[in-house]
Amino acid sequence: MEKEIPSRLTTLGHPQRLAIFRLLMRRYPDRMPAGEIAGALDLKASTLSTYLSALMQAGLVTQERAGTSLLYTVDMSAVQQTFDYLMLDCCRGRPDLCLPAATSPQTGHTAMTARKYNVLFICTGNSARSIFAESILRDRASDRFNVYSAGTRPQSDLNPFAVEVLQSKGHDTAHLRAKNTSEFTGPCAPQMDFVFTVCNQAANEECPAWDGQPISGHWGMPDPVKAEGTDAEKSLAFHQAYGALKRRIEAFTALPIETLDRIALQHAVDDIASQAQEDTQ
């Protein structure tokens, strides 16, 4: 441990290696292909390979082969081990010194209060997947959740195939519109309890930390807007995206939120994300 921690800190001291690590942390528990990492961070393949090798050597990142692709993810046990070491050694176990100012020392072990929770679904265009998620959760559990959706770069109009699918499922689409994430930041915005990204591109982007440190999750899935073929084939892609989100939201609403502390709840949300990833492979 005495050698591992300095090695990990040295490895993360390089700006681009740190950028890779941060991206993989945002996408956890996803396993990202090298090509997607390179594209998200604008890195050459050879350069990325060198940086990933250093992160793996430090024990921070793991590699897995899936067919002809190499997939990467953070080694969360090593990350937690590193944080624990820093807390115990550098901070002498004093969370009042080392935790962020906005975080109570007891936050991680305190159950969520029984109230109505604010949930935000984020995508890039806010024209299909995040709109699906907003509609499904609102119609399924509006008594428990205030539900919102937004895009990092929203389209001007909702995708017509998405609207058609929602209407065929009995959702009211009259109030739906594409919104920018900026509507949900600032002093007048509702403080989120949960923030979910539902497309990889949105999860890859650098976003500011949300006020209140909400539970976060990534439910990435193929973009139905990019589906090609006949109208029937395109419509099928939207129905499949709707179905995938419905299963994840059903799993989410089944969680006993009021009885779980933040750490247990985050693990439960991560488990849904892991299952979601398996469903799309």
Side-chain angles (χ1 to χ4, degrees), residues 22-134:
R22 293 178 66 197
L23 172 60
L24 291 174
M25 284 292 289
R26 291 198 299 275
R27 287 287 299 273
Y28 181 81
D30 268 11
R31 297 168 297 163
M32 292 185 68
E36 186 177 353
I37 299 172
L41 299 176
D42 194 24
L43 293 173
K44 294 181 179 178
S46 58
T47 302
L48 175 65
S49 178
T50 301
Y51 293 153
L52 285 170
S53 178
L55 288 164
M56 287 188 292
Q57 189 172 356
L60 293 166
V61 169
T62 62
Q63 179 193 80
E64 180 180 338
R65 182 173 291 278
T68 59
S69 299
L70 292 174
L71 305 177
Y72 299 88
T73 189
V74 292
D75 185 332
M76 192 55 71
S77 63
V79 172
Q80 291 173 336
Q81 180 189 57
T82 302
F83 290 161
D84 286 347
Y85 182 87
L86 292 173
M87 174 65 73
L88 293 174
D89 187 72
C90 299
C91 297
R92 301 301 184 195
R94 290 189 58 182
D96 57 309
L97 295 179
C98 292
L99 286 180
T103 305
S104 163
Q106 301 300 321
T107 295
H109 301 283
T110 303
M112 300 284 280
T113 57
R115 55 185 172 76
K116 200 169 184 179
Y117 304 106
N118 293 328
V119 182
L120 175 64
F121 294 100
I122 299 176
C123 199
T124 307
N126 194 212
S127 66
R129 288 166 290 182
S130 52
I131 289 290
F132 281 167
E134 175 187 355

Side-chain angles (χ1 to χ4, degrees), residues 19-41 71-74 76 129 196-206 216-222 266 269-270 272-274 276-277 280-281:
I20 295 169
F21 177 75
R22 293 178 66 197
L23 172 60
L24 291 174
M25 284 292 289
R26 291 198 299 275
R27 287 287 299 273
Y28 181 81
D30 268 11
R31 297 168 297 163
M32 292 185 68
E36 186 177 353
I37 299 172
L41 299 176
L71 305 177
Y72 299 88
T73 189
V74 292
M76 192 55 71
R129 288 166 290 182
F196 297 101
T197 49
V198 292
C199 75
N200 292 344
Q201 188 172 348
N204 291 349
E205 294 180 359
E206 289 276 4
S216 63
H218 175 56
W219 295 347
M221 64 180 63
Q266 183 65 68
V269 167
D270 288 342
I272 295 173
S274 296
Q277 185 183 42
T280 58
Q281 291 177 351

